Amino acid sequence: MGEPLGWPAVIGMVGGVVGLLGGLASFGDRFYKGRPVGSLTSQNSFGNTLVLVRIKNTTNYDVLITYATERKGVYFLADGPEVESIVRGQLGREAFKPFMLKPSEEKELRVQAKYKDGVAVEALGKKYVEFWIHWRRGNALWLPQIPLLVCGDTQTIRRIAGVE
């Protein structure tokens, strides 16, 4: 049988656990509290319901939104109804220019369907979609950040838009 642990070993073990919990709390504070927020929303425009991704800066400093991706190739995010933005998105290029958000400021980007052979890809069945919004802190533009994730599925997005 082994010897029982002495007080120094117990104190060291408790200190290690407390240190680990403190490190995890610091990680959460650094990477998840001090970041903008993204969410799906909708807006009525001339009798049509538009589906949008709202990005809100909840931090005390400016943030730069650099670009957004959607890996399934079903949608893209555009600045608005401008032809240039929509054509760039259909071609797989960035459909909006990088922009800065001041503290408490927000911006909405339109969710636009991609088309293949004249058919909206979203109409080909229920698919899970993820919008990854890439950003940088205004005080350290060189430092990569964990992208914002806004997710859903094509059926829900079509319901919000009033298509289904």
Side-chain angles (χ1 to χ4, degrees):
M1 295 243 155
E3 290 185 32
L5 294 175
W7 281 109
V10 171
I11 291 172
M13 193 180 314
V14 169
V17 170
V18 169
L20 176 65
L21 293 176
L24 291 173
S26 174
F27 176 80
D29 186 56
R30 170 73 173 97
F31 288 104
Y32 289 101
K33 278 179 135 179
R35 51 191 281 125
V37 176
S39 63
L40 279 174
T41 187
S42 65
Q43 177 184 33
N44 193 335
S45 175
F46 302 107
N48 295 326
T49 303
L50 303 174
V51 180
L52 309 162
V53 170
R54 177 182 295 140
I55 305 166
K56 182 171 183 173
N57 182 5
T58 60
T59 66
N60 293 327
Y61 43 82
D62 294 355
V63 296
L64 172 68
I65 306 300
T66 54
Y67 65 99
T69 58
E70 196 281 303
R71 295 185 301 178
K72 302 286 185 176
V74 178
Y75 297 108
F76 63 92
L77 297 179
D79 256 338
E82 294 81 25
V83 173
E84 178 189 1
S85 180
I86 293 171
V87 169
R88 290 178 61 79
Q90 290 295 339
L91 294 174
R93 299 189 182 128
E94 292 308 316
F96 65 88
K97 294 178 179 156
F99 57 90
M100 296 287 285
L101 291 175
K102 296 183 182 334
S104 301
E105 190 177 22
E106 62 185 40
K107 182 168 180 156
E108 295 171 341
L109 298 171
R110 291 176 64 153
V111 175
Q112 294 284 146
K114 283 199 172 188
Y115 286 82
K116 185 175 183 179
D117 299 327
V119 177
V121 178
E122 68 177 352
L124 300 176
K126 182 178 176 180
K127 292 184 178 183
Y128 175 75
V129 293
E130 299 174 335
F131 296 103
W132 291 91
I133 301 162
H134 300 267
W135 64 284
R136 300 284 188 266
R137 295 180 193 278
N139 61 353
L141 293 176
W142 58 272
L143 186 62
Q145 302 295 319
I146 297 172
L148 302 175
L149 174 64
V150 178
C151 55
D153 60 50
T154 54
Q155 186 178 21
T156 304
I157 292 172
R158 289 171 60 84
R159 281 186 183 155
I160 292 170
V163 178
E164 274 189 15

